[in-house]
Amino acid sequence: MDWEVKTVKPLENHILLLTFKNDEQKYYDVKPLLETGVFKTLKDNEMFKTVRVCFDSIAWDNNVDIAPETLYYEGISVNDSMKKSYGNK
């Protein structure tokens, strides 16, 4: 499946940079989850930085994870983000 995660990099402001099996890169904003359940623990920046690829998705050292299809379909394409940053459509 295209949504299998190959790499993950934690960025500032609780954003993840993900590379998927199809080499597509997307940003995923974790902030909306930080007020719910187990995700509250990811408010701690040191814990947030422990993110890693786990099987076909991602997980943190506290065993919190997010489904790969959620990351893929709710993520924002790096190219689209760059276009918006430069005011292009």
Side-chain angles (χ1 to χ4, degrees), residues 3-10 16-21 48-61 64-66 68 71:
W3 63 61
E4 294 176 18
V5 178
K6 283 187 1 182
T7 65
V8 60
K9 180 179 179 182
L16 299 173
L17 175 58
L18 302 152
T19 304
F20 293 89
K21 182 179 176 182
F48 182 74
K49 291 177 187 177
T50 68
V51 68
R52 66 192 182 290
V53 173
C54 184
F55 299 103
D56 294 334
S57 192
I58 62 166
W60 285 268
D61 282 356
V64 172
D65 62 5
I66 301 175
L71 297 168

Side-chain angles (χ1 to χ4, degrees), residues 27 76-89:
Y27 294 115
I76 299 169
S77 173
V78 169
N79 292 333
D80 288 345
S81 297
M82 286 186 217
K83 289 177 184 177
K84 290 176 184 176
S85 294
Y86 294 111
N88 297 327
K89 294 187 179 187

Side-chain angles (χ1 to χ4, degrees), residues 24-73:
E24 189 173 354
Q25 288 191 308
K26 293 190 177 196
Y27 294 115
Y28 185 83
D29 186 354
V30 180
K31 286 188 298 298
L33 302 175
L34 296 178
E35 297 301 325
T36 60
V38 296
F39 292 101
K40 289 179 182 180
T41 61
L42 299 178
K43 287 181 183 181
D44 179 290
N45 283 327
E46 292 307 309
M47 180 56 71
F48 182 74
K49 291 177 187 177
T50 68
V51 68
R52 66 192 182 290
V53 173
C54 184
F55 299 103
D56 294 334
S57 192
I58 62 166
W60 285 268
D61 282 356
N62 60 357
N63 296 319
V64 172
D65 62 5
I66 301 175
E69 56 270 27
T70 298
L71 297 168
Y72 187 81
Y73 291 116

